[in-house]
């Protein structure tokens, strides 16, 4: 069951940059993080956007502010736990 557990950094979610994003983008960050696999990658970000009733704008917001990174159709979620 360890694979079902995720940790989010308070340094990220308490940051003014994070808190100034729309609530839908914040929610999408958590949904992507919960679904991230090994090395924090998500292979189906647009499907998740649809499933959780967010928008592509929310995904683009997360990309623009650097909470997710894009690699060949996959994204990596910056969880802030690489210390």
């Amino acid at each position: 069951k360890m694979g079902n557990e995720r940790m989010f950094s308070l340094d990220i979610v308490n940051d003014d940059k994070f808190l100034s994003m729309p609530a839908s983008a914040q929610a999408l960050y958590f949904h992507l993080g919960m679904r991230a696999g090994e090395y924090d990658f998500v292979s189906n970000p647009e499907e998740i956007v649809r499933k959780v009733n967010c928008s592509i704008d929310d995904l683009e917001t997360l990309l623009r502010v650097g909470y997710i990174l894009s690699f060949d159709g996959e994204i990596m979620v910056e969880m802030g736990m690489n210390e």
Side-chain angles (χ1 to χ4, degrees):
K1 291 200 177 205
M2 287 295 285
N4 289 333
E5 297 176 9
R6 298 286 184 258
M7 292 183 66
F8 293 92
S9 170
L10 283 176
D11 290 339
I12 289 178
V13 300
N14 278 338
D15 189 78
D16 285 341
K17 182 170 71 169
F18 184 86
L19 295 171
S20 68
M21 291 189 308
S24 56
Q26 294 177 34
L28 180 58
Y29 170 79
F30 287 113
H31 281 285
L32 292 169
M34 290 301 297
R35 290 166 173 83
E38 191 172 10
Y39 305 110
D40 299 331
F41 275 90
V42 176
S43 62
N44 59 340
E46 291 182 13
E47 179 181 343
I48 294 168
V49 166
R50 288 189 302 275
K51 281 183 178 180
V52 301
N53 200 30
C54 288
S55 72
I56 293 298
D57 287 343
D58 295 318
L59 192 65
E60 290 172 357
T61 296
L62 292 170
L63 281 165
R64 185 178 65 253
V65 297
Y67 290 118
I68 61 175
L69 305 172
S70 180
F71 297 96
D72 296 326
E74 292 189 327
I75 60 159
M76 185 185 83
V77 182
E78 175 55 59
M79 303 288 282
M81 302 305 293
N82 301 327
E83 298 168 4

